[in-house]
Amino acid sequence: MSKFSYTINWAGIAFLLCLATVRSQDNDLIDYFTNLIADHQETALNYQLPTDASMYKPLDDSVTDYGNYDFVIVGGGVTGSVLARRLSDMENLKVLLLEAGTFADDAFYRIPSMTAYLAFSEVQWGFRSIPQKTACLGIVNQRCSAYRGKGMGGTSILNGGIYQRGVPEGFNEWAEITNDPSWAWENLIPLFKRSEDFHHNDPNAPADPQYHGTGGPLYVQYVTPQNPITTTFLEANKAVGNKLVDYNGPSQVGATVFQLYLKNGQRQNISSAFLDPVMDRKNLEVLTESYVTKINIDENKKAVGVTFTNHGKTYTVTADKEVILSAGVYQSPQILLLSGIGPKEHLEEVGIEVIEDLEGVGSSLQDDPINQVIVFKSNYSAESATLQHQLEDYFQGEGALTQVLSAQGVAFLQSKYEKKLVDLELISASAGASEFGRRYTDMRSEVYHALWGNTTRGLAINIANVNPVSKGTVRLNSKSPFDYPLIDFNMLSDPEEKDIAVMYEGVKMVMDLMKTPAYQRYGAEFIANPIHECTSHELWSKDYWYCFLRYTSTAAYHTRGSCPMGSDPKKGAVVDHKLRVFGIKNLRVIDSSVLPVTMSGHPTGTCLVIAEKASDDIKADHK
């Protein structure tokens, strides 16, 4: 039987890897990238995101057998890429990886500073929440964006590129929840180090070498040279008593500089890091543009394969050992539900036969609320370099184009409500108002312009509650696999209002930082005009700020928990300590949906260790 073949622009990748050695005066290369950036930016201004997955519908009802594999992995994102690499180490076992997108190694995708434009491109699914009642109120139709990457590497194609492992106490809590000490922080450190190739290329950034690995697939570095606003942010934190730390060491509490998965200043998505070096393995097949519609389960409640579409045709493939869902926080629960695994009442409501009544599927979605629009005017003026000069720096692996964020300073802190974990993240930024900026935030025009007062440039410190208690859901819109799922973040909704109280604590911390000499040398001054809907409250009172935060806070894309691990499915757990789905044999879920609690920040590093640990468990089960 003939097989599809994957295609990679190997010449393009080799071209990019050589960029650091290219002479900056190569005018042809400068022209190429100048035109590339202009073309992609123009496309992003007009690109219409899809609202469903109808592009994957088959053209007829025929079904073709795609053969047998030992492992079928659904999703080529962060965890799927790691699993495919590690499981294909077993040379006598065959691995098939199915991915709905394609390879995302276009030269433009690798320019970190262009990340915002990727939100309006073919590597973005275009998910949105249902209308919200407690957050995103200033967003058009009150529907939060739910950005997820589509393609090999998943959301690592288009996110902030931030490498953060998670707070140690969070992993220790996992160990308690699952009754499995192997999830404890100290037992995971070797796996974190196995993935990493750490480069301490900024001597001013705090780093604890004993907690970092070298020689692993993922190149981790800092942006250089350090942005002046980053330096200012760190100085301000020291002035208010926050110590400087390596947040990937034993303590996350304090201020620091982001560690990023960049290589020579270029984005290195997780697929390119883990899979590109092993794509010639004979026991590994990667099949892109393949949309999985269902897990096939036999009469003994055993997963025996999946059904998927590819280029207008429907296929079934058999998994002799295991099916592994790594489709992401929205689509892993969606596929489980479509396969008859989930809350009985919901499945019956949409007309799907119940195979396993598992209440926790899609029932505890979480994301971190973030506010990125508390803006201050200042006399700070960044050096204005031409695009040509920025490109010359980029070819040397440094400068403005290597920055995903406008500055790289970050602080992980505890509010007065938290004694164990971290619940606040403050991110340094400089910012500008623009029509594209309004489109990216999707705020209603009158709200967006009120936030900017009478200026278009400013400084900002973004605030995220990285340990919220509010939970939402992922549910089916219908029994059609081509309808997008219904996503309800339900942020800032807890009855005790702890989540919004933590955000308000963050506001007060930001105001204190802006009063320090470090920021006052730039004349930092809060600039927002009143938001009309909040003017029934005394301006800048606590009640006004609560209203402000509900209108202007959005999802941070730190999503998790829609298929949580645990020890008891009657208490909401979907998978056990080895990520096996309760009630169904030979089926695991391995992605951010299994996180049972927050990891206090950016989830990619946590997802990497989940995949590393799970691959070791699977190998042990099938040796």
Side-chain angles (χ1 to χ4, degrees):
M1 179 180 63
S2 95
K3 302 289 188 187
F4 298 112
S5 62
Y6 58 83
T7 58
I8 305 179
N9 184 3
W10 289 107
I13 293 173
F15 172 73
L16 286 166
L17 292 176
C18 294
L19 285 182
T21 62
V22 175
R23 291 168 59 97
S24 63
Q25 51 267 60
D26 188 332
N27 291 328
D28 289 341
L29 190 61
I30 295 288
D31 290 345
Y32 171 79
F33 271 87
T34 299
N35 292 330
L36 181 74
I37 290 170
D39 289 346
H40 276 272
Q41 288 179 334
E42 179 66 25
T43 298
L45 289 172
N46 301 294
Y47 187 83
Q48 296 301 311
L49 291 166
T51 57
D52 58 32
S54 57
M55 68 184 75
Y56 295 104
K57 283 184 176 181
L59 300 178
D60 56 46
D61 295 330
S62 64
V63 179
T64 303
D65 180 14
Y66 197 73
N68 292 61
Y69 294 78
D70 293 292
F71 300 101
V72 175
I73 302 170
V74 179
V78 172
T79 55
S81 294
V82 176
L83 287 163
R85 161 104 177 223
R86 299 306 187 193
L87 295 184
S88 64
D89 289 341
M90 299 184 287
E91 296 180 358
N92 60 322
L93 298 179
K94 293 170 61 181
V95 178
L96 173 66
L97 174 61
L98 298 172
E99 165 57 41
T102 59
F103 286 90
D105 274 315
D106 183 282
F108 183 79
Y109 301 158
R110 288 180 170 247
I111 305 174
S113 70
M114 297 294 121
T115 292
Y117 296 97
L118 300 185
F120 303 97
S121 74
E122 61 185 8
V123 296
Q124 218 273 86
W125 279 98
F127 296 130
R128 303 194 75 81
S129 76
I130 64 174
Q132 300 292 286
K133 299 177 181 178
T134 50
C136 296
L137 301 185
I139 303 298
V140 174
N141 297 322
Q142 297 179 196
R143 300 179 66 197
C144 308
S145 297
Y147 293 152
R148 305 305 292 171
K150 181 169 70 170
M152 292 299 297
T155 303
S156 70
I157 301 168
L158 51 66
N159 63 11
I162 294 164
Y163 178 70
Q164 181 192 349
R165 296 171 176 176
V167 62
E169 291 80 4
F171 290 105
N172 295 337
E173 190 170 339
W174 285 20
E176 295 175 8
I177 290 171
T178 59
N179 296 319
D180 182 354
S182 67
W183 284 107
W185 164 253
E186 63 180 10
N187 295 323
L188 295 176
I189 293 174
L191 297 179
F192 279 121
K193 295 170 75 171
R194 183 171 79 186
S195 288
E196 186 183 23
D197 188 8
F198 179 70
H199 295 261
H200 192 197
N201 61 318
D202 180 357
N204 296 316
D208 194 335
Q210 67 175 313
Y211 289 96
H212 290 279
T214 56
L218 190 67
Y219 200 106
V220 177
Q221 66 171 93
Y222 302 92
V223 167
T224 57
Q226 193 172 106
N227 185 292
I229 295 302
T230 302
T231 306
T232 297
F233 178 79
L234 297 178
E235 290 175 0
N237 272 273
K238 286 191 287 185
V240 299
N242 297 330
K243 62 182 180 180
L244 299 187
V245 298
D246 175 353
Y247 62 57
N248 283 326
S251 176
Q252 192 173 337
V253 180
T256 188
V257 182
F258 277 128
Q259 297 169 26
L260 306 170
Y261 35 91
L262 305 180
K263 187 170 185 179
N264 300 323
Q266 299 172 37
R267 177 187 293 274
Q268 183 191 36
N269 75 57
I270 303 304
S271 173
S272 63
F274 280 82
L275 277 184
D276 282 4
V278 301
M279 287 298 291
D280 59 349
R281 288 180 174 175
K282 294 181 180 179
N283 66 327
L284 172 63
E285 181 175 356
V286 175
L287 186 60
T288 59
E289 299 177 273
S290 300
Y291 185 81
V292 172
T293 59
K294 186 181 181 181
I295 303 162
N296 300 322
I297 301 169
D298 69 12
E299 63 276 6
N300 298 313
K301 291 192 177 183
K302 174 184 175 183
V304 295
V306 303
T307 299
F308 67 95
T309 66
N310 182 293
H311 291 185
K313 296 182 178 181
T314 300
Y315 299 84
T316 60
V317 63
T318 299
D320 292 332
K321 297 192 181 300
E322 294 195 29
V323 172
I324 300 171
L325 271 185
S326 295
V329 72
Y330 307 131
Q331 288 155 298
S332 282
Q334 180 190 23
I335 294 171
L336 288 175
L337 293 168
L338 290 166
S339 307
I341 304 167
K344 179 180 178 180
E345 183 178 350
H346 175 60
L347 293 176
E348 290 177 340
E349 179 186 9
V350 295
I352 292 177
E353 179 185 355
V354 180
I355 292 177
E356 182 67 19
D357 181 7
L358 201 54
E359 185 62 35
V361 174
S363 301
S364 54
L365 176 71
Q366 281 194 307
D367 203 344
D368 298 337
I370 188 170
N371 197 291
Q372 298 174 287
V373 290
I374 298 179
V375 184
F376 299 78
K377 69 178 181 180
S378 75
N379 57 28
Y380 170 75
S381 178
E383 292 184 11
S384 180
T386 65
L387 180 57
Q388 176 174 338
H389 288 139
Q390 291 181 41
L391 285 167
E392 290 170 355
D393 287 342
Y394 177 63
F395 299 155
Q396 301 303 316
E398 61 185 26
L401 293 179
T402 68
Q403 295 185 170
V404 177
L405 306 172
S406 56
Q408 297 297 320
V410 61
F412 293 100
L413 305 170
Q414 293 174 317
S415 76
K416 65 183 181 182
Y417 303 100
E418 182 59 57
K419 304 300 180 185
K420 183 179 178 182
L421 303 175
V422 166
D423 61 353
L424 275 169
E425 179 182 10
L426 306 182
I427 304 172
S428 170
S430 57
S434 67
E435 184 52 35
F436 179 77
R438 195 208 62 76
R439 186 176 194 224
Y440 181 78
T441 63
D442 204 28
M443 282 190 177
R444 300 199 321 265
S445 180
E446 65 273 19
V447 175
Y448 184 78
H449 292 298
L451 297 171
W452 280 95
N454 300 314
T455 187
T456 58
R457 300 295 306 173
L459 301 178
I461 298 179
N462 304 332
I463 303 165
N465 178 344
V466 291
N467 188 19
V469 297
S470 301
K471 293 184 178 181
T473 57
V474 178
R475 293 289 183 253
L476 297 179
N477 189 26
S478 76
K479 65 180 182 180
S480 169
F482 305 105
D483 280 343
Y484 276 176
L486 301 176
I487 299 166
D488 184 3
F489 289 122
N490 202 32
M491 295 182 297
L492 304 179
S493 66
D494 59 302
E496 296 79 16
E497 293 197 326
K498 177 185 174 184
D499 286 350
I500 197 164
V502 170
M503 294 291 287
Y504 180 55
E505 287 293 302
V507 171
K508 291 189 285 187
M509 289 181 183
V510 167
M511 296 301 175
D512 287 342
L513 287 169
M514 285 294 175
K515 293 175 185 175
T516 62
Y519 277 106
Q520 282 305 302
R521 70 169 173 257
Y522 294 126
E525 181 181 349
F526 188 50
I527 63 174
N529 288 327
I531 295 174
H532 174 72
E533 291 88 346
C534 299
T535 52
S536 60
H537 305 290
E538 180 184 348
L539 191 61
W540 311 123
S541 65
K542 177 181 174 180
D543 289 340
Y544 180 90
W545 273 112
Y546 273 35
C547 179
F548 178 99
L549 290 167
R550 293 193 186 282
Y551 269 84
T552 60
S553 296
T554 59
Y557 318 134
H558 301 167
T559 39
R560 59 191 174 272
S562 54
C563 299
M565 69 171 80
S567 57
D568 188 351
K570 294 181 180 179
K571 295 181 179 179
V574 173
V575 297
D576 68 8
H577 65 118
K578 289 194 174 182
L579 309 184
R580 297 170 296 203
V581 176
F582 285 109
I584 305 293
K585 303 179 186 71
N586 295 356
L587 176 62
R588 301 191 204 225
V589 179
I590 305 174
D591 55 33
S592 68
S593 68
V594 306
L595 273 66
V597 297
T598 177
M599 297 314 296
S600 298
H602 307 261
T604 300
T606 303
C607 289
L608 288 173
V609 84
I610 290 172
E612 291 281 19
K613 185 179 185 305
S615 64
D616 285 353
D617 289 340
I618 294 169
K619 286 179 180 179
D621 288 346
H622 298 285
K623 63 182 178 182

